């Protein structure tokens, strides 16, 4: 029975209800620093993070929500909840919620999850594949995965992949029939599969670079889709050109179903990164997920280095 935690639990319940440390301090008649210290002590004893905070917003973590839902009705239920969300020595219990773009799932998440779950079976992982930009704190995520340039500067970033390119690809049959583009502007005369940007509703302009020069080409075509598998299938059938995440089409390029076009203009990006608000607020499950992801990334990099020698 962790009865010594009851005063800190009371503080936590007021903060969760008021959604503000300063408002909770006024209600409890203590200083904001004392409120923060009380919540931090509760988190340390339970070995979980109860709140995620940035300068812009504050939200309960999954463990915090579980504790709030269980502790609210009464003292007996509160004590039970303290036991449920706490972990035994050397054990991590909890939930990890990630937002990930669909394109990154097979390359970033799928390789990590089996190893992570094997080591930490009491951590529940929820992966939401979505292509929109997400406020991970406001929407209750522990972390997200995005390209480096799409991450806000106040977020901690952990590299998950090496740099890679975006390339234009086509089926040999399409190029035989319609000709091969030689410079980015030539794409305006070709059938191109386009993607609509969720945040603005506009069609994505394909980006290119060569030396110090950059291009954004407003390509158009008869089909708009954010489904990469459908797009690749149609491209392989000779229906048009696609702007592709190069690792996703390596197999089709290797066996000749697709070929690269305008390769000398292909832009390179730093890679995919895991991001979250601050190192101090990482939950136990998130810290362990980062460890596994880093370990597998090192192994993958070593394997690629060996194949190149």
């Amino acid at each position: 029975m962790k009865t010594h935690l009851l005063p800190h639990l009371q503080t936590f319940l007021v903060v969760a209800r008021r959604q503000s440390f300063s408002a909770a301090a006024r209600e409890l008649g203590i200083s904001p620093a004392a409120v923060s210290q009380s919540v931090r002590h509760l988190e340390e004893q339970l070995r979980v993070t109860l709140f995620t905070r940035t300068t812009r917003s504050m939200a309960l973590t999954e463990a915090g929500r579980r504790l709030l839902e269980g502790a609210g009705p009464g003292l007996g239920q509160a004590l039970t909840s303290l036991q449920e969300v706490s972990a035994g020595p050397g054990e991590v219990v909890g939930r990890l919620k990630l937002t990930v773009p669909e394109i990154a799932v097979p390359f970033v998440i799928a390789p990590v999850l089996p190893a992570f779950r094997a080591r930490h079976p009491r951590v529940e992982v929820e992966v939401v594949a979505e292509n929109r930009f997400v406020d991970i704190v406001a929407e209750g995520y522990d972390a997200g995965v995005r390209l480096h340039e799409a991450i806000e500067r106040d977020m901690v970033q952990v590299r998950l992949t090496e740099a890679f390119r975006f390339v234009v690809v086509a089926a040999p049959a399409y190029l035989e029939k319609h000709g091969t583009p030689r410079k980015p502007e030539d794409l305006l005369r070709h059938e191109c599969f386009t993607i609509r940007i969720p945040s603005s509703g506009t069609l994505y302009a394909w980006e290119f670079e060569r030396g110090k020069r950059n291009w954004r080409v407003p390509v158009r075509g008869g089909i708009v889709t954010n489904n990469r598998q459908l797009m690749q299938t149609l491209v392989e059938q000779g229906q048009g050109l696609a702007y592709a995440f190069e690792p996703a089409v390596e197999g089709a390029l290797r066996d000749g179903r697709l070929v690269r076009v305008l390769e000398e203009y292909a832009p390179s990006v730093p890679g995919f990164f895991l991001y979250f608000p601050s190192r101090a607020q990482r939950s136990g499950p998130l810290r362990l997920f980062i460890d596994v992801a880093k370990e597998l990334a090192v192994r993958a990099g070593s394997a690629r280095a060996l194949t190149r020698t």
Side-chain angles (χ1 to χ4, degrees):
M1 300 288 287
K2 300 186 178 183
T3 54
H4 65 286
L5 295 181
L6 289 179
H8 305 298
L9 174 61
Q10 180 186 11
T11 302
F12 160 77
L13 292 174
V14 176
V15 173
R17 176 165 49 82
R18 301 296 298 270
Q19 288 291 295
S20 167
F21 277 68
S22 57
R26 288 192 295 271
E27 181 173 324
L28 293 169
I30 59 178
S31 68
V35 171
S36 180
Q37 183 178 4
S38 181
V39 171
R40 185 164 57 249
H41 180 77
L42 184 61
E43 291 176 325
E44 290 172 354
Q45 291 299 307
L46 300 180
R47 302 190 186 98
V48 296
T49 301
L50 298 172
F51 293 100
T52 302
R53 303 181 289 278
T54 68
T55 55
R56 295 182 295 274
S57 56
M58 182 187 80
L60 285 165
T61 64
E62 176 60 20
R65 284 192 293 273
R66 287 170 57 200
L67 185 56
L68 176 63
E69 292 168 0
L75 182 59
Q77 197 169 353
L79 291 173
T80 300
S81 299
L82 287 170
Q83 296 292 339
E84 287 179 351
V85 302
S86 62
E91 181 184 49
V92 175
V93 179
R95 187 182 183 198
L96 179 64
K97 187 177 182 182
L98 305 172
T99 171
V100 185
E102 290 180 321
I103 193 174
V105 171
F107 302 95
V108 174
I109 299 300
V112 176
L113 279 184
F116 178 78
R117 289 283 298 153
R119 298 181 194 181
H120 309 290
R122 292 197 64 190
V123 175
E124 176 187 340
V125 182
E126 180 177 352
V127 178
V128 180
E130 52 193 341
N131 297 322
R132 66 185 179 92
F133 293 111
V134 176
D135 183 336
I136 60 175
V137 172
E139 298 190 35
Y141 289 93
D142 294 287
V145 174
R146 288 291 181 269
L147 295 174
H148 173 75
E149 61 268 23
I151 301 174
E152 295 178 348
R153 292 184 177 180
D154 62 348
M155 293 287 172
V156 178
Q157 301 179 32
V158 177
R159 176 180 290 279
L160 296 177
T161 72
E162 296 178 342
F164 54 79
R165 301 189 303 176
F166 282 94
V167 294
V168 178
V169 294
Y174 176 89
L175 299 178
E176 289 174 9
K177 184 175 182 180
H178 300 281
T180 301
R182 300 300 177 187
K183 54 186 184 297
E185 303 90 275
D186 293 346
L187 293 169
L188 297 173
R189 298 189 293 272
H190 284 267
E191 180 75 9
C192 299
F193 295 103
T194 53
I195 299 173
R196 195 171 300 282
I197 301 173
S199 58
S200 65
T202 59
L203 295 177
Y204 174 67
W206 292 3
E207 299 178 68
F208 300 94
E209 62 184 33
R210 188 175 185 181
K212 296 183 179 180
R213 188 176 176 189
N214 298 281
W215 291 259
R216 290 179 61 86
V217 182
V219 299
R220 293 294 181 270
I223 297 177
V224 179
T225 179
N226 66 348
N227 187 288
R228 299 276 176 177
Q229 187 57 53
L230 172 61
M231 188 181 298
Q232 183 170 337
T233 298
L234 293 173
V235 173
E236 290 181 12
Q237 292 174 353
Q239 299 297 310
L241 300 166
Y243 189 79
F245 169 53
E246 191 171 30
V249 293
E250 280 184 348
L253 291 168
R254 192 164 45 246
D255 62 23
R257 285 176 287 141
L258 296 177
V259 295
R260 296 177 183 86
V261 177
L262 299 171
E263 186 174 5
E264 63 273 29
Y265 295 93
S268 179
V269 295
F272 282 115
F273 290 75
L274 186 78
Y275 68 99
F276 49 93
S278 77
R279 296 188 187 279
Q281 295 178 46
R282 286 182 300 180
S283 65
L286 178 56
R287 285 194 297 270
L288 295 172
F289 185 86
I290 292 170
D291 290 342
V292 175
K294 283 182 173 180
E295 178 185 325
L296 295 183
V298 169
R299 288 184 189 175
S302 300
R304 282 191 292 271
L306 287 173
T307 60
R308 290 194 291 264
T309 58

